[in-house]
Amino acid sequence: MRGLFVVVEGLDRAGKSTQVSRLASALDAKAIKFPGNIPREDRTTAIGKMIDSYLVQQSELDDRAIHLLFSANRWEARQGIVTCLESGKNIVCDRYAFSGIAYSCAKGLSYQWCKAPDVGLPEPDVTIFLDLSVEEASRRGGYGEERYESVSMQSKVREAFAQIRKDMPQGKWVVVDAGKSVDEVAAECESVVRSLAKPSSASLAPLFAQQ
Ligand code: Z5A
Ligand code: MG
């Protein structure tokens, strides 16, 4: 039996990294993160370093070029994800293709164009969307140090995530109220995963296959 592939998504400061760590412990899962790996400072691959330099505003890139780099960063991790899941180990993943689409759409790129490079990546068994208003997220502090960390950008990102939600197959996208306490959110995330059916086949479905 392969492991479960669980993705956690949400706006900046929604509590993704906090909950990925909690959920990975609860499920004895491997925690991974995009961009790069956990810890966040470890954006170590050549592509990860280019992304990091862009995010900390040390370099400029065309919006499409950075979009493709984020996607390439997932593709370079694909084999590792598949091998881990096929060995029976669960994975909890901090951001995935959905962040790629949401942030680039928020910059004005088309939804279909943004989705295309990630078609065929391993499809998560479930994506937990940590739902928090932009106002609440900004009150959690730390905005302003990286690219995208502004209320106006985050509002557009939130709208883009809402569009993705409409596009997701039934049961694959579960919204959790991220405004509750860390313990309450953790309990809810764990209950979402525990209620999943066991994976029906050893191999993973391709992401966005039917679109
Ligand atoms: N990006 C992209 O454009 N395209 C892509 O394909 C991908 C990403 C994959 C860096 O991401 C940027 O890359 C990001 C999207 C873009 N945009 N920006 N900016 P990142 O994942 O590296 O970002 P991050 O640095 O990990 O931060 P984050 O995501 O904003 O935070 P978080 O992981 O959601 O939250 P947290 O670190 O767990 O918690 C934040 C704070 O809130 C912290 O002080 C916690 O103690 C507190 N917290 C957490 N939970 C709670 C609750 N429940 N109540 C109260 N306080 C809480
Ligand atoms: Mg984080």
Side-chain angles (χ1 to χ4, degrees):
M1 182 75 74
R2 71 164 169 85
L4 282 170
F5 184 25
V6 177
V7 166
V8 178
E9 283 282 12
L11 295 184
D12 282 46
R13 309 293 180 267
K16 298 177 297 300
S17 300
T18 304
Q19 294 303 332
V20 164
S21 160
R22 291 282 296 256
L23 199 50
S25 300
L27 301 174
D28 189 24
K30 180 176 181 181
I32 64 169
K33 162 152 185 40
F34 293 107
N37 304 302
I38 282 179
R40 173 248 176 108
E41 294 72 30
D42 194 20
R43 292 169 179 167
T44 47
T45 66
I47 295 168
K49 284 182 185 149
M50 288 167 78
I51 293 172
D52 190 51
S53 160
Y54 174 83
L55 285 173
V56 299
Q57 315 209 56
Q58 281 171 359
S59 63
E60 292 302 321
L61 282 168
D62 179 87
D63 289 343
R64 287 176 179 76
I66 183 64
H67 183 82
L68 295 173
L69 285 175
F70 273 116
S71 178
N73 186 227
R74 288 183 278 278
W75 281 105
E76 67 181 349
R78 188 199 73 91
Q79 191 55 57
I81 292 173
V82 170
T83 303
C84 179
L85 294 171
E86 286 179 350
S87 77
K89 183 100 181 150
N90 300 318
I91 291 180
V92 184
C93 179
D94 189 342
R95 297 192 188 273
Y96 198 51
F98 315 106
S99 278
I101 296 169
Y103 282 77
S104 293
C105 281
K107 291 196 280 187
L109 300 187
S110 93
Y111 185 70
Q112 290 305 330
W113 190 92
C114 290
K115 206 160 85 167
D118 288 303
V119 171
L121 279 171
E123 181 184 58
D125 293 295
V126 71
T127 297
I128 298 173
F129 181 75
L130 296 182
D131 193 23
L132 193 67
S133 71
V134 176
E135 294 69 30
E136 271 183 274
S138 69
R139 280 200 291 275
R140 288 187 179 174
Y143 268 17
E145 288 147 28
E146 282 201 357
R147 207 180 281 268
Y148 306 149
E149 293 184 340
S150 70
V151 167
S152 66
M153 176 68 180
Q154 293 296 316
S155 303
K156 290 182 193 153
V157 172
R158 191 175 157 82
E159 281 169 31
F161 272 126
Q163 187 177 355
I164 294 169
R165 177 186 180 178
K166 286 190 208 137
D167 205 16
M168 292 297 286
Q170 184 73 23
K172 290 277 182 180
W173 188 269
V174 177
V175 178
V176 165
D177 179 357
K180 296 183 179 168
S181 72
V182 170
D183 284 347
E184 286 170 310
V185 179
E188 204 162 325
C189 291
E190 192 177 336
S191 123
V192 167
V193 178
R194 301 256 181 235
S195 68
L196 289 177
K198 296 267 179 263
S200 57
S201 80
S203 59
L204 286 143
L207 184 63
F208 304 136
Q210 60 288 58
Q211 285 141 31

